[in-house]
Amino acid sequence: MEQRPFGSTRVSVPVLGQGTWQMEEDDRAGAIRALRAGLDLGMTHVDTAELYGHGKVEASIVSEAIAGRRGDVFLVSKVMPSNASYAGTLAACERSLKRLRTDHLDCYLLHWPGSHPLEETVRAFEKLVADGKIRAWGVSNFGVEDLEEALALAGPGRIACNQVLYHLEERAIEHAVLPWCEAHGVAVVGYSPFGNGRFPRPDSRGGKVLGAIARAHGVTPYQVALRFLVRGPSLFAIPKASREAHARDNAAAASLTLTADELAHLDAAFPLGPEPASLPVI
Ligand code: NAP
């Protein structure tokens, strides 16, 4: 599995990781099997959150999937904005660690900008780093203004990543967020790479382009999409798969090589569109 430095941490992280949102609704044993198969194939970046299933995904799915192999995993969780005061962040992290049955997170994110002062969240993140509870911290759903605020508070080299909505039909981050992150050494982790299940239809204009490229490589359109989404040096993607076959397909997408022509066709078939007033979120 191809790896690249994860923002300011410089830790090597696979370009493709594994999401876990809504997994509490899936067959539990199957989801754990899928996650473990993904880990076997190098998709060791596992993304979860206290929000997911109100803690159930951390406690009964991710903890089980990583049991006995914590050292192989780049484990990421997120604090809810409503908990992101100084004391609230410290307490939320403890609860996530307990549910995940681990003593540290590799990266801890603020799930989206909220009403608690960001200064408190950043101070709590730095305390958690100093205490060895988290190795690094980042943000999610942050536009450029939010990123500027975080940078002003934390100083350079502290924000590991910004996790944002990014799929073929939603490329808004390419206007300003991605360039900002690249300029400041912040990894960009694209969430919902398949549009949370709303993937381009095969008979749509873009779907036809995806299909033709997929056929030429003997892969699926989903694999082509993933490869396109991690085509830049600071890009990562975290598809969610609760079926083992999907996890296997996703991992294999990392070894696909798209030609410059194919990338240009995809770029044209899924146009960037005008810059929206605010960052789209799911
Ligand atoms: P997604 O990854 O865009 O799509 C998941 C759907 O695609 C599932 O129905 C899955 O099916 C299917 N799928 C997976 N691999 C496939 C393949 N190779 N071929 C065909 N279908 C495939 O959805 P998502 O869960 O919204 O996004 C991914 C992760 O990003 C989340 O799980 C979460 O960790 C993170 N996220 C973060 C935020 C945030 O605010 N920070 C927001 C949304 C998501 P099966 O499950 O049946 O295998």
Side-chain angles (χ1 to χ4, degrees):
M1 165 70 57
E2 182 185 337
Q3 307 206 342
R4 51 180 62 137
F6 194 74
S8 58
T9 70
R10 310 308 291 164
V11 172
S12 279
V13 170
V15 292
L16 298 174
Q18 306 192 78
T20 63
W21 185 32
Q22 297 166 324
M23 262 194 181
E24 76 282 4
E25 291 166 19
D26 297 316
D27 168 61
R28 177 174 171 268
I32 293 168
R33 259 199 319 277
L35 285 168
R36 291 181 78 91
L39 291 177
D40 290 341
L41 295 166
M43 291 196 295
T44 51
H45 172 180
V46 176
D47 178 76
T48 191
E50 60 170 338
L51 175 72
Y52 298 171
H54 304 285
K56 202 169 157 196
V57 170
E58 286 183 329
S60 72
I61 298 177
V62 177
S63 70
E64 193 70 25
I66 66 172
R69 56 199 310 179
R70 174 67 187 89
D72 301 337
V73 180
F74 186 83
L75 184 60
V76 178
S77 191
K78 314 185 196 79
V79 58
M80 289 270 292
S82 53
N83 286 335
S85 63
Y86 178 75
T89 302
L90 300 182
C93 184
E94 286 298 340
R95 290 193 298 270
S96 283
L97 292 176
K98 200 165 168 210
R99 283 192 290 262
L100 289 161
R101 287 186 265 138
T102 185
D103 60 358
H104 74 282
L105 296 172
D106 294 281
C107 199
Y108 196 35
L109 314 183
L110 174 59
H111 211 141
W112 63 88
S115 56
H116 287 291
L118 186 59
E119 178 273 324
E120 287 200 27
T121 318
V122 168
R123 194 154 44 85
F125 282 162
E126 291 293 357
K127 165 84 173 141
L128 291 166
V129 171
D131 291 349
K133 302 280 171 89
I134 65 174
R135 297 268 154 86
W137 60 268
V139 294
S140 179
N141 297 302
F142 268 41
V144 167
E145 265 183 46
D146 304 312
L147 288 163
E148 289 285 2
E149 185 188 353
L151 178 68
L153 288 167
R158 302 304 304 160
I159 310 167
C161 69
N162 187 18
Q163 190 183 114
V164 285
L165 179 63
Y166 190 42
H167 57 82
L168 287 172
E169 293 180 325
E170 185 45 86
R171 297 173 54 192
I173 60 157
E174 291 181 36
H175 285 288
V177 169
L178 179 60
W180 191 98
C181 289
E182 284 185 342
H184 294 88
V186 173
V188 174
V189 180
Y191 71 69
S192 302
F194 304 138
N196 190 243
R198 283 174 298 278
F199 196 72
R201 290 162 45 105
D203 58 356
S204 64
R205 180 180 162 228
K208 286 180 189 159
V209 173
L210 269 177
I213 296 172
R215 278 191 299 280
H217 289 272
V219 299
T220 72
Y222 288 79
Q223 291 173 301
V224 174
L226 280 183
R227 191 63 247 187
F228 180 84
L229 295 171
V230 296
R231 69 199 180 288
S234 49
L235 288 170
F236 297 81
I238 45 169
K240 173 259 182 183
S242 60
R243 292 169 218 223
E244 198 176 323
H246 285 164
R248 292 189 183 285
D249 278 359
N250 294 343
S255 30
L256 177 64
T257 306
L258 298 175
T259 65
D261 258 10
E262 289 169 335
L263 289 170
H265 279 129
L266 289 165
D267 184 54
F270 295 96
L272 179 53
E275 184 170 5
S278 60
L279 191 68
V281 297
I282 198 139

